[in-house]
Amino acid sequence: MNVLAIETSCDETSAAIVQDGREVLANVVASQIDIHQKYGGVVPEVASRQHILYITPVLSETLETAGLDWSEIDAIAVTNGPGLAGALLVGVNVAKAIAFAREKPLIGVNHLESHIYANWLIPPDSEEVEAPPKFPIICLVVSGGHTEIVLIEGHGEYRLLGKTQDDAAGEAFDKVARVMNLGYPGGPLVEKAALDGDALKYPFTRSWLKGTYDFSFSGLKTAVMRKVLEFQAPPPKPVPYSGAAEAEREKIAKNKATLQPPRPLPVKRGEKARDPWEEAEEEKPQSKAQEPESGLPVADIAASFQAAVVEVLATKTVQAAQEYGANHILIAGGVAANKALRAAILERAEKLNIPVSFPPPSLCTDNAAMVAAAAYFKLTTLDNPTANSKDWSLDIHPSWELVR
């Protein structure tokens, strides 16, 4: 079965064709990172307009890459939440139009569920085909907007074990990057800076929220901000208005007019005579405001921050896998590309002999291939009321939670 999927939940316009829920025949992604970098984050209205511009050429390239025509497509899938409302509308309406015109089944897919199913995909350049994950599964979904630990007992059977109580891990990475002027997106830039840093230099406090699998990163973010401020020069204190300075200038001007100036200064032949009053002013010491070098230890702060985030994420994920007898651990979402996080979970899970899987970096960020994979299993293993071409009630859900 060939499923064509569309993903427009944020700032990537993507279309893909996946065969039987695993084999990626084509996966085209048009990124808007260069457009949004100058703003330091995604601008929803700009993202929506770019999706409108990109969606048609992206679809054409997807079909061409896969070597298929519309008659060989069996179903249409689309992300309909969570995400930016305007961006989601573009993808959903295009998917509806295609499904209606081609008389294909239409499947709406939760964005977080898609990230989970990225772990079922076989990339086109893969040399080895791994067996699909075996239930029950513990999955850490970690991205710019979400940080959750989910127990998966079967296709479509989810149980939420814990989630962030404030900032998502990816959001914390972005904000820390902004504080240190590293740029956007923050996750890869903080990870790169941390490579040359000492992770033990600044022992930022970990928020464990004991007795739960929940997370909290707002306090860590604030601690990093305060550490950065320690290396910055304090702003000059405002000087209260006073007429004393103006009165002093008037006094000097009056003295110049009434008092005898100093004796003329000797002038060498060929030189221009100098005003003794001006010369006297020049001899006064001049106070120049010099900005001190900040000396901000970016690498050490980035490494210490990343270590704090990774330790909590990895420890709780593996603890959940042990408690619930998981046969597999999955990492999903944009932050799943972080090498330090992968290594930390692998190290802990290896001691318990629990296999760990995570997608290649190209499938960690938003893409349509993962949407197609999730849609395939909805069609083949679940009773999906939207999986027919006559139901056009599919709508967007910008705040859609995978599981409560």
Side-chain angles (χ1 to χ4, degrees), residues 112 140-148 163-176 215-221 305 309 313 334-335:
L112 302 182
L140 172 66
V141 182
V142 56
S143 65
H146 304 272
T147 301
E148 302 176 356
K163 64 179 181 178
T164 180
Q165 298 300 301
D166 37 61
D167 293 347
E171 182 183 359
F173 269 94
D174 285 340
K175 289 179 178 178
V176 166
F215 303 98
S216 174
F217 298 108
S218 63
L220 173 61
K221 177 194 65 180
F305 161 76
V309 174
L313 290 175
V335 184

Side-chain angles (χ1 to χ4, degrees), residues 1-252:
M1 176 184 288
N2 295 324
V3 178
L4 182 144
I6 296 172
E7 157 63 33
T8 61
S9 64
C10 190
D11 62 334
E12 274 92 15
T13 310
S14 180
I17 299 174
V18 174
Q19 188 175 75
D20 296 334
R22 300 206 68 197
E23 186 178 353
V24 180
L25 302 182
N27 188 30
V28 179
V29 180
S31 177
Q32 302 177 24
I33 287 180
D34 292 342
I35 296 173
H36 297 282
Q37 274 181 333
K38 59 183 177 181
Y39 304 111
V42 177
V43 181
E45 177 64 23
V46 174
S48 303
R49 292 179 181 275
Q50 291 303 126
H51 287 311
I52 295 172
L53 295 174
Y54 291 164
I55 189 63
T56 299
V58 163
L59 283 167
S60 299
E61 184 179 345
T62 300
L63 287 166
E64 182 180 348
T65 301
L68 302 176
D69 58 35
W70 286 111
S71 64
E72 297 173 281
I73 301 300
D74 299 299
I76 307 297
V78 63
T79 301
N80 62 321
L84 303 176
L88 290 168
L89 280 171
V90 176
V92 167
N93 282 295
V94 169
K96 279 186 175 183
I98 295 173
F100 178 82
R102 302 290 175 177
E103 297 184 348
K104 305 292 184 182
L106 176 66
I107 306 97
V109 181
N110 182 290
H111 183 68
L112 302 182
E113 187 174 22
S114 298
H115 274 301
I116 293 172
Y117 276 93
N119 287 282
W120 269 258
L121 292 171
I122 304 171
D125 56 350
S126 178
E127 297 180 357
E128 297 183 5
V129 178
E130 295 183 2
K134 185 179 178 181
F135 300 108
I137 296 167
I138 286 292
C139 183
L140 172 66
V141 182
V142 56
S143 65
H146 304 272
T147 301
E148 302 176 356
I149 294 179
V150 180
L151 172 63
I152 311 172
E153 297 176 301
H155 292 295
E157 300 177 23
Y158 306 108
R159 179 180 170 188
L160 181 64
L161 302 182
K163 64 179 181 178
T164 180
Q165 298 300 301
D166 37 61
D167 293 347
E171 182 183 359
F173 269 94
D174 285 340
K175 289 179 178 178
V176 166
R178 188 179 305 168
V179 167
M180 296 194 292
N181 294 319
L182 293 180
Y184 174 85
L189 297 172
V190 170
E191 182 181 8
K192 182 179 179 180
L195 292 175
D196 299 322
D198 179 3
L200 301 178
K201 181 72 174 180
Y202 303 107
F204 294 122
T205 301
R206 279 68 164 154
S207 179
W208 290 106
L209 301 179
K210 294 182 179 180
T212 74
Y213 287 114
D214 291 335
F215 303 98
S216 174
F217 298 108
S218 63
L220 173 61
K221 177 194 65 180
T222 302
V224 173
M225 187 181 302
R226 288 177 176 172
K227 180 59 64 176
V228 170
L229 289 174
E230 290 179 9
F231 293 90
Q232 296 179 348
K237 294 183 178 180
V239 179
Y241 173 78
S242 172
E246 186 176 351
E248 184 67 19
R249 285 194 294 271
E250 292 178 356
K251 180 179 179 181
I252 293 174

